[in-house]
Amino acid sequence: MGMMEESSGRGTTRRAGPREQENVAIFGSLRTIHNDLTSIPADIIAVREWTRFRCRFGCAAYGTHFCCPPFVPSTEETRTMIAEYHSAVLARFDTATFPSGPDGLPPSRGEILRTVQQTIADLERAAFLAGYYRAFGMGASPCALCSTCVAQEMLDAGTTPTPADAVRCRQKKVMRPSMEALGIDVFETVKNAGHSIEVLTGRDDPPIYFGLVLLD
């Protein structure tokens, strides 16, 4: 399947297939919400089992956020769901370009992640209202919409949360699972989309986050 890549100086330009050409109008509309977008075919989204192992054995958020494993769908469910789509939009967030706060300090990681999560929710809603009724967004990293997730509050109270308890989330309209939480290999997917991406080697290096909105 073909892919349409907007010229950004970071990737290659490939010929758009017929379905991607049909999405030009919505793509332009979504760029009024967030400019750094790439229209991609859904079949370049890589779902890999190893990502969930990294969640379980490398991330402190595992089991403490309802947007993270084990409260989210499995990699197999993710793979099956993505197979129902033909096109998607990849959103890039370069934190080096984020404005400083009123105190002159750079935004905190929590502030950045809240911006990413809200933007993905706004993109999903805009696509839905434009007629893409199957639109579904995915963010990056554990949710930061609340200072403490309800799942963590339950653990602190001595109760083990279950996937069914996710209904207690205070930000259901905005909270979406991250790409990696659902088993998506972000590095491989981003490279498939024509972007360059590297592992950060310094704690002060500004990260680049990616989100995804499945369209149709």
Side-chain angles (χ1 to χ4, degrees):
M1 184 180 295
M3 182 184 87
M4 180 175 68
E5 162 77 20
E6 288 294 303
S7 177
S8 64
R10 292 183 301 276
T12 58
T13 300
R14 306 180 189 177
R15 186 175 182 178
R19 188 175 294 273
E20 283 73 47
Q21 291 174 348
E22 295 174 1
N23 290 334
V24 169
I26 182 61
F27 184 65
S29 176
L30 295 180
R31 290 190 82 176
T32 64
I33 297 173
H34 183 71
N35 186 60
D36 202 343
L37 300 177
T38 303
S39 178
I40 64 172
D43 62 5
I44 73 167
I45 300 170
V47 182
R48 303 288 183 253
E49 297 295 334
W50 72 264
T51 63
R52 293 292 288 265
F53 279 71
R54 288 295 297 271
C55 282
R56 185 172 182 178
F57 296 104
C59 181
Y62 182 87
T64 66
H65 290 68
F66 282 130
C67 67
C68 295
F71 307 115
V72 297
S74 67
T75 51
E76 187 56 37
E77 290 174 290
T78 299
R79 190 177 290 112
T80 300
M81 187 265 286
I82 290 176
E84 298 179 352
Y85 288 81
H86 296 92
S87 63
V89 170
L90 189 69
R92 179 179 183 272
F93 299 85
D94 185 350
T95 62
T97 66
F98 276 47
S100 299
D103 52 7
L105 297 174
S108 67
R109 184 171 184 270
E111 291 170 329
I112 290 171
L113 291 179
R114 284 190 288 274
T115 297
V116 172
Q117 290 153 356
Q118 184 62 60
T119 301
I120 292 299
D122 291 343
L123 290 170
E124 179 194 285
R125 176 171 172 77
F128 175 81
L129 293 177
Y132 291 77
Y133 62 91
R134 295 195 295 151
F136 184 78
M138 307 173 200
S141 294
C143 180
L145 295 171
C146 297
S147 57
T148 305
C149 181
V150 174
Q152 181 64 64
E153 293 176 351
M154 293 178 67
L155 288 169
D156 293 342
T159 301
T160 301
T162 69
D165 290 312
V167 70
R168 301 174 60 180
C169 171
R170 291 183 286 256
Q171 301 286 347
K172 289 285 288 183
K173 291 185 178 180
V174 179
M175 187 273 281
R176 295 292 183 271
S178 66
M179 295 169 68
E180 58 269 28
L182 290 176
I184 293 175
D185 183 333
V186 178
F187 273 71
E188 184 177 349
T189 300
V190 166
K191 289 178 179 178
N192 289 344
H195 289 274
S196 60
I197 185 171
E198 298 176 351
V199 174
L200 298 181
T201 58
R203 294 183 63 87
D204 295 329
D205 294 339
I208 295 176
Y209 293 104
F210 287 86
L212 183 74
V213 180
L214 297 169
L215 291 176
D216 66 355

